[in-house]
Amino acid sequence: MEDEVDRLVAAWRRERPDLDVEPLEVLSRVSRLARHLDRARRTAFAEHGLEPWEFDVLTALRRAGSPYQLSPGQLLTQTLVTSGTMTNRIDRLTGKGLVKRLPDPDDRRGVLVRLTDDGRDRADQALAGLLAHERELLAQLTSTQQGELAGLLRQLVAPFDNIP
Amino acid sequence: MEDEVDRLVAAWRRERPDLDVEPLEVLSRVSRLARHLDRARRTAFAEHGLEPWEFDVLTALRRAGSPYQLSPGQLLTQTLVTSGTMTNRIDRLTGKGLVKRLPDPDDRRGVLVRLTDDGRDRADQALAGLLAHERELLAQLTSTQQGELAGLLRQLVAPFDNIP
DNA sequence: CGCAAGTATCTCGACATCAAGATATATCCC
DNA sequence: GGGATATATCTTGATGTCGAGATACTTGCG
């Protein structure tokens, strides 16, 4: 089955036969797939009354395990946003009663963000919904292929995650 | 080499052993890799004085071949943004002298967006720069692996690109 | 000890995006 | 042909994000 990137690459080969556009076969597909995923996730989360960014923050805290708290700095590295964005997110989640800020007992510069009981439930429900949707998307691939794909992607992401 | 998604999945297995989080192995990596790529592209384009969104529009027109023109609607489907966004982008690119709007001779509702000579040169230069950067990122994989990866990604993206 | 450099978080202004609605034109069918 | 429906683009208002700078506290070095 052909996709938009096949057409994109064919067009470049026609217009710029002097260039090797092979890298686009992988990386343009990653970018485009990510945009489609964003849209799909937005609709999946809407069923649970959450925005994607809310899900990102709540689940990061949920994964941390009891007592479900992390510093804003730890949340930054997990969600790949800037500090100004995270402050804003925490403010809004606090307003909705899904998280609360606590002073860090070990460092008076810092704070800890903790999930409320309500926030934990919302995160758990939304995760189950997300996984159901994602399983449908991945039905295009066999289990073996999914494993191969995960492995290849890991090799590309690892340098970003380990050198910062 | 371990990546952030390995840690994420391990955390979920510890916190929610009742759930099958296998889909995240693929799709979370796609999302995270895309965010890293966005940042890398931003710096690559900065060398040529372009923003990523400017590159997206200019190269779509460049790929169309002489006379390098497309309708706003065609640009929408290629760049995955909304119509309001595209209007804004065309306005700004027009202001920078990289594209210009022409009336569509066949449909008086429509317009055609055409690349200027300056816009074409900028697109060509930025593309070469982008490919150089991307080749470095992909050096993690053999040529064969890149082909496999492209094929697997195509299977996931194709439904989005062909059913809309 | 005391000061410089580093770190954690927040503030603020600019900006790109989106969604929904408005406008103008085209197409379809009776 | 004429009116309903569809299409192409633009407008508007709200919103989330970024990036640079500010503040407060901590750490390291002399």
Side-chain angles (χ1 to χ4, degrees), chain A residues 17-131:
Chain A
D18 56 311
L19 285 181
D20 170 19
V21 294
E22 197 64 23
L24 302 180
E25 294 270 9
V26 170
L27 299 181
S28 290
R29 283 195 174 90
V30 170
S31 293
R32 289 186 67 94
L33 181 54
R35 297 211 63 161
H36 288 303
L37 286 178
D38 277 349
R39 295 184 168 190
R41 292 204 300 165
R42 182 175 301 278
T43 65
F45 294 143
E47 298 170 12
H48 300 276
L50 286 180
E51 299 291 319
W53 64 263
E54 295 178 304
F55 178 85
D56 287 343
V57 177
L58 295 180
T59 52
L61 294 168
R62 178 64 182 82
R63 277 197 304 279
S66 185
Y68 309 117
Q69 61 184 24
L70 291 172
S71 70
Q74 291 173 306
L75 288 171
L76 291 191
T77 67
Q78 293 210 33
T79 54
L80 298 178
V81 298
T82 62
S83 64
T85 298
M86 186 53 66
T87 297
N88 185 20
R89 288 182 173 188
I90 296 168
D91 287 347
R92 283 174 285 156
L93 286 170
T94 302
K96 292 179 70 171
L98 301 178
V99 307
K100 58 185 170 185
R101 263 187 260 248
L102 305 171
D104 183 334
D106 300 327
D107 184 340
R108 273 186 293 180
R109 294 170 303 181
V111 301
L112 292 173
V113 181
R114 183 185 298 200
L115 216 45
T116 64
D117 291 345
D118 190 21
R120 190 174 75 96
D121 293 344
R122 298 283 283 281
D124 279 340
Q125 292 163 17
L127 174 63
L130 174 68
L131 288 171

Side-chain angles (χ1 to χ4, degrees), chain B:
Chain B
M1 175 91 84
E2 199 180 37
D3 71 358
E4 196 65 33
V5 174
D6 283 322
R7 296 186 265 273
L8 181 153
V9 167
W12 279 128
R13 294 217 162 105
R14 174 167 39 74
E15 290 296 319
R16 297 294 307 275
D18 55 312
L19 286 181
D20 171 18
V21 295
E22 198 65 23
L24 302 180
E25 294 270 9
V26 171
L27 298 180
S28 289
R29 283 195 174 89
V30 170
S31 293
R32 289 187 67 93
L33 181 53
R35 298 214 62 164
H36 288 302
L37 286 179
D38 278 348
R39 295 185 167 189
R41 293 205 300 164
R42 182 174 301 278
T43 65
F45 294 142
E47 298 170 12
H48 301 275
L50 287 179
E51 299 290 317
W53 64 263
E54 295 178 304
F55 178 85
D56 288 343
V57 176
L58 296 180
T59 52
L61 294 168
R62 178 66 182 81
R63 277 197 304 278
S66 184
Y68 309 118
Q69 61 184 23
L70 291 171
S71 70
Q74 290 173 306
L75 287 171
L76 290 191
T77 66
Q78 293 211 33
T79 55
L80 298 179
V81 298
T82 62
S83 65
T85 298
M86 187 53 67
T87 297
N88 185 19
R89 287 183 174 189
I90 297 167
D91 287 347
R92 283 174 283 156
L93 287 171
T94 301
K96 291 180 70 171
L98 301 177
V99 307
K100 57 185 171 187
R101 261 188 263 247
L102 304 171
D104 183 335
D106 300 327
D107 185 338
R108 275 186 293 183
R109 293 170 304 180
V111 301
L112 292 173
V113 181
R114 185 186 296 200
L115 216 45
T116 64
D117 289 346
D118 189 21
R120 190 174 74 95
D121 292 344
R122 298 283 286 280
D124 280 340
Q125 291 162 18
L127 174 63
L130 175 67
L131 288 171
H133 276 266
E134 293 197 338
R135 248 185 285 282
E136 282 181 46
L137 297 179
L138 289 171
Q140 300 291 325
L141 303 179
T142 67
S143 179
T144 306
Q145 287 179 314
Q146 292 180 32
E148 289 172 9
L149 181 49
L152 292 166
L153 290 171
R154 183 190 289 105
Q155 291 190 59
L156 288 182
V157 189
F160 290 105
D161 283 348
N162 293 308
I163 302 187

